[in-house]
Amino acid sequence: MNAALELRELSTFYGDAQVLFGASLAIAGGEVVALVGRNGAGKTSLLRAAMGLMPRTTGQVLLDGADVGRMPPFRRARRGLGYVPEDRRIFSDLSVAENLRIAARPVENGITERDLLELFPNLAAMLERPASAMSGGEQQLLAVARTLAANPRVVLLDEPSEGIAPMIVGRMRDAVRAMKRRGVGILVSEQNLRFVASIADRAVLIEQGHLTGEAAREDLIEPSAALRRVLGV
């Protein structure tokens, strides 16, 4: 497998406290991998470490074979690594259109604004609306659309279905599938197994900062004992 994103022995720290221990995984272009674990297991820390947002991280982050682990986050983004944090971090004072255009990075045969508005038709109806006037679910869709506007090679999604209405979750599922069709690799941190089973090719299990195993797609549809133990369900 030619990995679009590969993490090698990634460890990360908050001060003297280690929260991720030698995590290694690889994601191919067009593959959706779910990072599954309880709250506090280290899912967000792993995504933030991959993006270069943790205070101290060791190990390697390879993007299309090139080590970007010493690059600041904005350079990783320019190289094709996209990140949608759980708290969205949209530009609330800007309109929907401005949020999309400020992030746009046109590439040949890449995603255009027209493509995004076809994928997220509810955003098309509110282009001039301030982002601060959107619902939480709409803001989540905008955060994903803004990340896609940069035509990333790999996207890191942190808890995309949390706290949003079922209809918006459906739109999120459609967006992930559209990214997959375009060959974008996706690492998604998620606890909603129904959502994960609808999008993921496989899952990686994380417990107390350690990657402890994998689950195939069929195990997500009918959760295995190992998966239930990891999630405490």
Side-chain angles (χ1 to χ4, degrees), residues 38-99:
R38 304 185 195 191
N39 283 334
K43 301 188 300 297
T44 294
S45 295
L46 187 148
L47 298 189
R48 287 175 55 82
M51 196 67 209
L53 294 168
M54 292 295 287
R56 180 162 66 98
T57 298
T58 62
Q60 290 182 292
V61 179
L62 304 178
L63 192 60
D64 282 329
D67 191 349
V68 300
R70 295 185 180 274
M71 293 182 182
F74 77 93
R75 291 200 181 277
R76 300 186 198 202
R78 287 179 182 174
R79 292 291 293 266
L81 187 58
Y83 176 50
V84 183
E86 185 179 359
D87 57 2
R88 304 171 188 126
R89 297 191 185 181
I90 58 172
F91 299 108
S92 58
D93 293 336
L94 300 182
S95 69
V96 170
E98 288 168 333
N99 266 276

Side-chain angles (χ1 to χ4, degrees), residues 32 34-36 188-203 217 220:
V32 181
L35 185 63
V36 176
V188 53
S189 162
E190 188 56 79
Q191 294 188 83
N192 181 342
L193 282 186
R194 180 175 296 180
F195 178 68
V196 167
S198 72
I199 60 169
D201 297 299
R202 59 188 172 96
R217 187 172 185 275
L220 300 173

Side-chain angles (χ1 to χ4, degrees), residues 152-173:
R153 178 79 171 103
V154 177
V155 171
L156 311 172
L157 280 174
D158 196 1
E159 301 284 358
S161 76
E162 185 175 19
I164 61 177
M167 182 181 69
I168 302 295
V169 172
R171 290 287 186 193
M172 191 70 64
R173 181 181 60 246

Side-chain angles (χ1 to χ4, degrees), residues 1 24-28 31-38 43 46 180 186-207 210-224 226-231:
M1 177 182 71
S24 296
L25 61 85
I27 301 167
E31 183 182 29
V32 181
V33 177
L35 185 63
V36 176
R38 304 185 195 191
K43 301 188 300 297
L46 187 148
K180 178 180 174 66
I186 302 165
L187 179 60
V188 53
S189 162
E190 188 56 79
Q191 294 188 83
N192 181 342
L193 282 186
R194 180 175 296 180
F195 178 68
V196 167
S198 72
I199 60 169
D201 297 299
R202 59 188 172 96
V204 174
L205 313 183
I206 184 169
E207 299 177 82
H210 297 267
L211 300 187
T212 57
E214 289 199 7
R217 187 172 185 275
E218 53 267 26
D219 291 327
L220 300 173
I221 297 170
E222 292 291 337
S224 64
L227 197 54
R228 290 183 179 278
R229 178 180 57 80
V230 167
L231 291 173

